[in-house]
Amino acid sequence: MTDFAATRAQFHIPEDVIYLDGNSLGPLPRTAEARVAAAVREEWGEMLIGGWNRAGWIEMPRILGDRIGTLIGAEPGSVVLGDTVSIKIYQALAAALEMRPDRRVVLSDRGNFPTDLYMAQGLIASLGRGHTLRMVAPEEVEAAIDEDVAVVLLTEVDYRTGRLHDMARLTARAQAAGALTIWDLAHSAGALPVDLAGAGADFAAGCTYKYLNAGPGAPAYIYVAPRHSDRALPALSGWFGHAAPFAFEPGYRPGVGIDRMRIGTPPVLQMAVVEAALGVWEGVSLADVRQRSIQLSDLFIAEVESRCPQLTLLTPRDPSRRGSQVSFGFSEGYAAIQALIARGVVGDFRAPDIMRFGITPLYIGEEELMRAALILQDVMENRLWDEPAYRFRAAVT
Amino acid sequence: MTDFAATRAQFHIPEDVIYLDGNSLGPLPRTAEARVAAAVREEWGEMLIGGWNRAGWIEMPRILGDRIGTLIGAEPGSVVLGDTVSIKIYQALAAALEMRPDRRVVLSDRGNFPTDLYMAQGLIASLGRGHTLRMVAPEEVEAAIDEDVAVVLLTEVDYRTGRLHDMARLTARAQAAGALTIWDLAHSAGALPVDLAGAGADFAAGCTYKYLNAGPGAPAYIYVAPRHSDRALPALSGWFGHAAPFAFEPGYRPGVGIDRMRIGTPPVLQMAVVEAALGVWEGVSLADVRQRSIQLSDLFIAEVESRCPQLTLLTPRDPSRRGSQVSFGFSEGYAAIQALIARGVVGDFRAPDIMRFGITPLYIGEEELMRAALILQDVMENRLWDEPAYRFRAAVT
């Protein structure tokens, strides 16, 4: 049984803060500070260029990729770190479209995270071959899969509502129709068990700064199913993805397997933090995390619904249909979140009217969620959101 | 006059090391350690998600871009940080090709850094519109510019030989023929004065971990001439490049000016190091750096040539035709560099036979270069490279 008191002790959470935004940026794992300091002083400072070999910088994207792979049900050697989710989605989509040259539709849903849609739009415009991005409502995806669809591009957990797609079912349905699948795991990895290999997924990508707690701007990762990894072309064909990066040949030759999805020089200091952050998962069972996430989410939903009748639950009530966040709709949601933050409860807001709360059992428990619900009740009952200061929108919302 | 004793004191260089590889990875600026620790503890640790606004993470790519801009002669608001050189070259090339729809040739030279060529090859293959990458010898570039050329894609300083292209002349020549230019400044920025605006360059990209000393995996930057920045399409159209990133609209709308070249979440911790590393340049004149680089390079060439007749100078003897590195050819160059490194002189090797030495006046002086030449003489005269241990090739060479 996972010891959640022990995992909690591994994080630095500021005093007087109830942090319900780990779905956006996870908090600082205590070991990260020393790990990054060592990467700066003992690796870069002392080894200089030698760090690539001596500190193993060159291998980190693959080694850490494999460690993330164990959290998302990926086969060994099928995940590599680097760049951003946007870039990794672009690579996956470019490779997938090239593998389905006779089809012209990229199918996604309107709950997908916008950057996935934007990257698809950019790629489609660049290709100029008449591809279209077909966007449907999340619940209409299955019915919209037809023989025109080259790729089904979905985020498993909706960043706004927390709605969870059925990865195994949609993957099977897509493949039966001859399409490939790309799963964005940004709100899945570390939030609930993911089984890419079991679902037969083709491609996936995700970030490490949300439920994996690897810090602001931490690198993304990409998954390519082993059956595709020697056929998929990376499109963004950089030297670190070359079969022999240090031969400096004039022509690109894709590396073996997942290595070809590497592009440029990896962000060594950010990777050091990923390494530290993954240490928290030693001894943690994702089944336990999932069970506790459901229990905590049910509690928070019940508390808020009984205390704040002004709010509308947007997250599916059925635990099997949601990820690890709880969202409520409220027309003054932006100001209400600011009022909450001013009182130490950190959630966030997503346009147009969504108040989001991340449920992260590694460092959040019942007591905090009940206190958060009480503070939210105070904000709502006393219209504390109705202060002009809370209505000014910051650059990042 | 720049005080090079003062700049040198700002770096941590391990004892007993003569570091002549700052053209590959600059050493640790002393302030970087505290800066990254603060970003981890005081920003991420204490501000959590609030760091995007409170610590200004969201603005850093542009603010730091402008600071780099002052080192490369860029107009304010024309440079933004992010991703890797490979990605930024891809973005520039995709945008440039789209601006020259009737032309089909990308012109480069065989001295270009391979990843630039690989990214061009990947883009050309993706586009599938019959573009070709025309590669000529560096000295043949000017003559090869004709009316078929859409883009001239060059690295200003050759990573192997240190040969310097004439940016102003080639840019003018390219533009007279109706082509656009993309300059890779990886071995230029911080090494010598660069005047993008003065040369009328169209696009540029570069890294911050070489002569700018921002650490392993530090982010790249891209320059887009202000006259193009509202017309150039980023191809890699991510949410941070959207006109309203936090409106989460389903359709991509490019941001104003250089902002559209942003893609995904920026690497906050690596950017903190860039910020610290740029602090070293306060009070430094690039004209002084250039003058001293020439003087030190001339000294090193003279010392090595007089002591090591086995080596062949590959770098142009004329200072106006080289950057800030000195390269020698030697058939056993790989093993010789290993023997040198074992004796505390850190240079590096590039296939097939190139021994490279970075000349970096911010932290290297005459005395070290003379000692390095003496040690090199010992390695060569006594065939110290002829040890089996030095012949085993590490992953990164």
Side-chain angles (χ1 to χ4, degrees), chain A residues 12 26 33 41 44 46 53 115 118 121 126-127 129 209 217 237 239 249-250 252 265-267 269-270 394 396, chain B residues 12 26 33 41 44 46 53 115 118 121 126-127 129 209 217 237 239 249-250 252 265-267 269-270 350 394 396:
Chain A
H12 171 76
E33 222 175 327
R41 163 57 71 112
W44 175 22
E46 292 299 323
N53 292 311
T115 205
Y118 301 161
Q121 290 161 13
S126 282
L127 295 178
R129 284 184 219 135
Y209 49 75
S237 46
W239 68 308
E249 300 169 2
Y252 180 75
T265 306
L269 303 183
Q270 305 269 174
V396 180
Chain B
H12 170 76
E33 222 174 327
R41 162 57 71 109
W44 175 20
E46 293 297 323
N53 292 312
T115 207
Y118 301 161
Q121 290 161 14
S126 282
L127 295 178
R129 280 182 223 139
Y209 49 75
S237 45
W239 68 309
E249 301 169 2
Y252 180 76
T265 306
L269 304 182
Q270 305 269 172
R350 284 293 173 259
V396 180

Side-chain angles (χ1 to χ4, degrees), chain B residues 193-311:
Chain B
V194 175
D195 187 6
L196 288 173
D202 298 290
F203 296 89
C207 73
T208 61
Y209 49 75
K210 296 178 184 290
Y211 296 89
L212 297 179
N213 313 302
Y221 57 87
I222 186 170
Y223 164 83
V224 181
R227 65 185 178 279
H228 299 317
S229 64
D230 281 327
R231 288 164 49 202
L233 291 174
L236 302 170
S237 45
W239 68 309
F240 270 87
H242 192 280
F246 292 89
F248 298 102
E249 301 169 2
Y252 180 76
R253 286 189 294 130
V256 173
I258 193 68
D259 269 354
R260 62 178 58 184
M261 291 297 164
R262 296 178 67 165
I263 305 173
T265 306
V268 170
L269 304 182
Q270 305 269 172
M271 288 193 305
V273 181
V274 174
E275 187 180 294
L278 290 175
V280 175
W281 294 92
E282 302 293 329
V284 170
S285 144
L286 269 164
D288 292 348
V289 169
R290 178 64 168 163
Q291 186 187 14
R292 188 139 170 74
S293 152
I294 290 172
Q295 178 190 336
L296 293 173
S297 300
D298 283 346
L299 171 75
F300 190 63
I301 291 169
E303 287 287 314
V304 173
E305 288 196 318
S306 72
R307 295 175 186 284
C308 309
Q310 306 90 335
L311 305 185

Side-chain angles (χ1 to χ4, degrees), chain B residues 142 145 166-174 183 199:
Chain B
E142 188 168 348
I145 297 171
D166 185 335
M167 181 187 289
R169 181 185 172 100
L170 288 174
T171 298
R173 179 71 191 83
W183 290 99

